[in-house]
Amino acid sequence: MTSFSLSLLLLSALGLGTASAQKAAKTASPTPYSAKGKTAKIYATAANTNLRLSAAGDLTFQAAEQPLETQVCVFVDPGHTFQTMLGIGGALTDAAAETFAKLPKPQQQELLRAYYSPTAGIGYTLARTSIHSSDFASGSYTYVAEKDEALKSFSVKHDEQFRIPFIKQAQAAAGGRLTLYASPWSPPGWMKDSGTMLRGGKLMPQYRQAWADYFVKFIRAYEQQGIPVWGLTVQNEPMATQKWESCIFTGEEERDFIKSYLGPTLQKAGLGSRKLIAWDHNRDLLYQRASAVLDDPQAAKYVWGIGYHWYETWTGSAMQFDNVKRVHEAYPDKNLLFTEGCLEKFEFAKVDRWDLGEKYGMSMIGDFNAGTVGWTDWNVLLDETGGPNHVGNFCYAPIIGDTKTGKLIYTNAYYYIGHFSKFIRPGAKRIISSANRDALQTTAFRNPDGSVAVVVMNQTDQPLEFQLRLAGQGAKSTSAAHSIMTFVVN
């Protein structure tokens, strides 16, 4: 019996009502965390070694005195908790599904285990897919006939060849626990002032309701296929005029589409429980776009959270984690979700480059520490060209499927992501993890089973000895040059 249940029984015996008992129990002081006598299992990935998410020994905690300023430390405090983890995963795109279909059956099963098994793999629990085509498909397509304003021809038959079977297999590999959300890259061209799905353009006012209805049709069609849709983003990258599928919304236009069309349409269709995510673009305009939508109560009531990508670096900027934090501070009742990131300009000869994984590690640590509840990589799988992609926008994925040889190539991005997804599970609460040297980047979570997972990353050329300090106890470790480590304390 839990301490909470015991509190309820005691208070009930004293004659207090259930509501009063619950209130009293909730306000009771939590039991302080103790690390005395505990050990931490170490998992490590490091450059110029064979360590790839490898077991690397144990640490035993002992009483630790006041540290000196000359001592390098990582301080972990489970006594303060923050956001709850939704999940970590990647996008199940047409490109990933088409590549998957070309692999031999043993490699298909290997890929599913590698991503979705929490024991043999890295335990993905979150997924994104597109509403009809994106750039990562063999061609552009929609689910309706030209000028079918009533959407009577709506059909996801195109997706039944590759994408839907792939998603179903991913769901099964994840034990049925795969949170899926969907994003549109563009409405059908005939709904836009440009007449094409490509190269930006805007949704014409007379088609706002039809486009909102399209979302409902998509959810129902996928759920009829046995694929639950947890959430939706309003528009992928609404400020980018791309040579591929794209559509422009200002903050005010997105706000008005949500409050006057998409939000009410989902509610009327009985789909109001689906999580609606605004923005879905880079961190640079994150606060401006969040405030444009969330400062309007009639729009905000439909919005679960704000999604974002990491491509603000195209302007020469570093990743802007403070913008994520500003949104979290201003709108603490809304959620933040990292919806896409990948390294662009694919070169097959460079799939072993070490900075691939380090970019993921830096982003995940910075995003989680800023208040993000979930993190979604872009394509889970691409082929040896970095595609297929119908406009030549070739990119890296954590696993490359070489369709010529039938082999899977694991980049170190796979292992870096795994240092989070394998050990930080849905329902985990972020706790404090603070380093006293900027060479060490760190975040930590306490899982629903009580275990603590601490991630420590070193992007420098030098190894660094440090003490991992947890609730007054300490243990010595070394962070190798260009490495990432996860410490799991049960």
Side-chain angles (χ1 to χ4, degrees), residues 145-383:
E146 189 77 8
K147 295 289 187 177
D148 176 12
E149 298 180 21
L151 309 182
K152 291 181 179 180
S153 61
F154 191 97
S155 170
V156 295
K157 188 171 182 60
H158 172 280
D159 298 357
E160 292 176 6
Q161 183 178 8
F162 297 118
R163 199 196 326 165
I164 286 173
F166 182 45
I167 293 174
K168 286 183 176 181
Q169 289 185 71
Q171 283 179 317
R177 296 178 294 275
L178 188 61
T179 300
L180 177 76
Y181 64 99
S183 305
W185 265 241
S186 171
W190 53 267
M191 290 188 183
K192 297 166 64 181
D193 58 8
S194 60
T196 175
M197 294 177 70
L198 314 182
R199 299 181 294 279
K202 290 194 173 189
L203 176 66
M204 289 191 284
Q206 64 266 37
Y207 292 121
R208 288 171 184 161
Q209 186 57 57
W211 183 227
D213 292 338
Y214 202 101
F215 284 78
V216 171
K217 293 275 192 181
F218 174 82
I219 294 171
R220 287 179 171 163
Y222 260 58
E223 295 195 342
Q224 285 171 3
Q225 293 274 350
I227 300 173
V229 178
W230 169 85
L232 302 159
T233 73
V234 180
Q235 168 62 46
N236 177 73
E237 299 188 346
M239 286 301 294
T241 299
Q242 308 283 22
K243 61 183 178 179
W244 53 87
E245 292 86 341
S246 44
C247 183
I248 303 300
F249 283 81
T250 67
E252 292 71 26
E253 288 166 343
E254 185 175 21
R255 174 200 67 197
D256 293 346
F257 180 62
I258 290 170
K259 75 176 181 179
S260 298
Y261 296 93
L262 186 53
T265 298
L266 291 169
Q267 290 280 3
K268 186 177 179 180
L271 300 173
S273 64
R274 304 310 186 273
K275 306 301 188 282
L276 195 57
I277 301 160
W279 186 222
D280 198 13
H281 204 166
N282 298 330
R283 299 185 189 97
D284 48 6
L285 296 181
L286 188 61
Y287 185 83
Q288 182 267 325
R289 292 299 294 237
S291 61
V293 173
L294 299 180
D295 284 349
D296 185 324
Q298 295 306 307
K301 69 181 181 181
Y302 296 114
V303 176
W304 173 85
I306 305 296
Y308 64 94
H309 302 179
W310 74 16
Y311 308 111
E312 68 268 21
T313 52
W314 76 271
T315 64
S317 171
M319 291 184 181
Q320 295 181 293
F321 302 114
D322 279 352
N323 288 350
V324 183
K325 192 177 295 183
R326 295 294 88 82
V327 173
H328 183 59
E329 291 169 343
Y331 307 99
D333 60 326
K334 299 300 182 182
N335 298 282
L336 286 153
L337 179 64
F338 183 89
T339 50
E340 185 185 317
C342 74
L343 205 69
E344 301 160 286
K345 300 180 181 178
F346 179 82
E347 292 183 55
F348 187 73
K350 295 183 178 180
V351 293
D352 59 350
R353 53 188 292 186
W354 199 258
D355 65 334
L356 274 174
E358 289 187 327
K359 185 169 184 177
Y360 279 87
M362 180 176 66
S363 179
M364 296 179 82
I365 289 170
D367 288 327
F368 289 137
N369 287 344
T372 293
V373 303
W375 210 94
T376 328
D377 183 32
W378 191 204
N379 303 276
V380 295
L381 176 69
L382 292 172
D383 67 17

Side-chain angles (χ1 to χ4, degrees), residues 19-256:
S20 299
Q22 289 176 341
K23 182 177 180 181
K26 286 179 180 178
T27 56
S29 298
T31 303
Y33 182 89
S34 174
K36 187 176 181 179
K38 291 189 175 180
T39 60
K41 291 191 176 296
I42 308 169
Y43 300 88
T45 297
N48 303 313
T49 72
N50 292 323
L51 295 174
R52 297 294 183 271
L53 202 57
S54 306
D58 297 340
L59 294 181
T60 300
F61 289 96
Q62 298 177 339
E65 298 178 349
Q66 167 66 45
L68 302 174
E69 292 179 294
T70 52
Q71 292 178 274
V72 182
C73 296
V74 172
F75 304 99
V76 181
D77 182 2
H80 298 275
T81 60
F82 303 93
Q83 78 271 22
T84 301
M85 174 64 74
L86 169 68
I88 297 170
L92 304 173
T93 59
D94 287 310
E98 291 171 36
T99 302
F100 181 81
K102 295 176 183 177
L103 294 173
K105 290 293 183 183
Q107 279 65 45
Q108 289 182 347
Q109 294 306 307
E110 178 187 337
L111 180 105
L112 293 168
R113 283 193 303 272
Y115 273 125
Y116 299 104
S117 170
T119 52
I122 59 174
Y124 271 10
T125 55
L126 186 62
R128 182 188 189 212
T129 197
S130 65
I131 295 177
H132 56 231
S133 64
S134 70
D135 46 330
F136 277 91
S138 293
S140 289
Y141 64 92
T142 73
Y143 299 135
V144 293
E146 189 77 8
K147 295 289 187 177
D148 176 12
E149 298 180 21
L151 309 182
K152 291 181 179 180
S153 61
F154 191 97
S155 170
V156 295
K157 188 171 182 60
H158 172 280
D159 298 357
E160 292 176 6
Q161 183 178 8
F162 297 118
R163 199 196 326 165
I164 286 173
F166 182 45
I167 293 174
K168 286 183 176 181
Q169 289 185 71
Q171 283 179 317
R177 296 178 294 275
L178 188 61
T179 300
L180 177 76
Y181 64 99
S183 305
W185 265 241
S186 171
W190 53 267
M191 290 188 183
K192 297 166 64 181
D193 58 8
S194 60
T196 175
M197 294 177 70
L198 314 182
R199 299 181 294 279
K202 290 194 173 189
L203 176 66
M204 289 191 284
Q206 64 266 37
Y207 292 121
R208 288 171 184 161
Q209 186 57 57
W211 183 227
D213 292 338
Y214 202 101
F215 284 78
V216 171
K217 293 275 192 181
F218 174 82
I219 294 171
R220 287 179 171 163
Y222 260 58
E223 295 195 342
Q224 285 171 3
Q225 293 274 350
I227 300 173
V229 178
W230 169 85
L232 302 159
T233 73
V234 180
Q235 168 62 46
N236 177 73
E237 299 188 346
M239 286 301 294
T241 299
Q242 308 283 22
K243 61 183 178 179
W244 53 87
E245 292 86 341
S246 44
C247 183
I248 303 300
F249 283 81
T250 67
E252 292 71 26
E253 288 166 343
E254 185 175 21
R255 174 200 67 197
D256 293 346

Side-chain angles (χ1 to χ4, degrees), residues 33-41 43 58-59 61 423 446-447 449-453 470 487-490:
Y33 182 89
S34 174
K36 187 176 181 179
K38 291 189 175 180
T39 60
K41 291 191 176 296
Y43 300 88
D58 297 340
L59 294 181
F61 289 96
F423 305 111
R446 190 174 185 184
N447 284 302
D449 66 1
S451 64
V452 170
L470 176 61
F487 300 86
V488 179
V489 187
N490 290 306

